[in-house]
Amino acid sequence: MKALIGALAVLTLLTSGIANSAEPSGQAVYEKWCLPCHRAGQVGSVQLQQRYKGAIPAVLTERTDLQPALISVLVRKGGQVMPIFRKTEISDVELEALATYLTKPTK
Ligand code: HEC
């Protein structure tokens, strides 16, 4: 019985590892590539604070109005200040996960 439970635990670990590698975490992509500029007080948040004058949150993860299309355009084409991200940096699958992460309801 113990061996069976052990085998099941190993199997669960293995399959969760596979699931993770197939489906990237949007949050992880965000934290790696976006957070350096988009955390509170950094250039992205400061610029967005000026743009919207506080009418909507300056921090992207607090926004409820973001659409996947806007995120894709910004990431691939860049903004006035924001850089372009290549597919070797953020793959299409990662971009999709990122867009899902940023557009999912906050509550
Ligand atoms: C080098 C700093 C920097 C990085 C890294 C960065 N951004 Fe930005 N981002 C900005 C700045 C500055 C602005 C506002 C000015 C502009 O349009 O460039 C902005 C604007 C945006 C906007 C526009 C919001 C609006 O309402 O106009 C979105 C969406 C966005 N960023 C998403 C992202 C995502 C997603 C990532 C990660 C892949 C990211 N940014 C990485 C600096 C950055």
Side-chain angles (χ1 to χ4, degrees):
M1 193 57 192
K2 260 196 185 146
L4 185 64
I5 292 169
L8 277 176
V10 168
L11 200 67
T12 311
L13 275 176
L14 281 175
T15 49
S16 64
I18 290 165
N20 280 341
S21 63
E23 222 173 278
S25 151
Q27 184 176 355
V29 175
Y30 181 77
E31 284 171 2
K32 178 171 181 189
W33 296 104
C34 319
L35 199 57
C37 286
H38 283 283
R39 70 168 80 242
Q42 291 306 311
V43 61
S45 301
V46 170
Q47 295 249 343
L48 292 175
Q49 174 66 29
Q50 284 168 3
R51 180 176 292 172
Y52 296 115
K53 314 253 182 278
I56 52 175
V59 173
L60 295 180
T61 45
E62 289 170 14
R63 283 178 57 174
T64 53
D65 65 313
L66 287 173
Q67 296 294 320
L70 173 70
I71 293 163
S72 300
V73 168
L74 262 294
V75 168
R76 291 292 186 228
K77 311 250 182 260
Q80 289 159 348
V81 179
M82 192 174 133
I84 288 172
F85 295 89
R86 295 168 207 288
K87 293 189 184 190
T88 47
E89 294 165 323
I90 300 176
S91 71
D92 284 337
V93 186
E94 286 170 335
L95 178 54
E96 210 183 305
L98 174 64
T100 305
Y101 170 66
L102 285 177
T103 54
K104 75 173 189 301
T106 35
K107 256 212 182 123

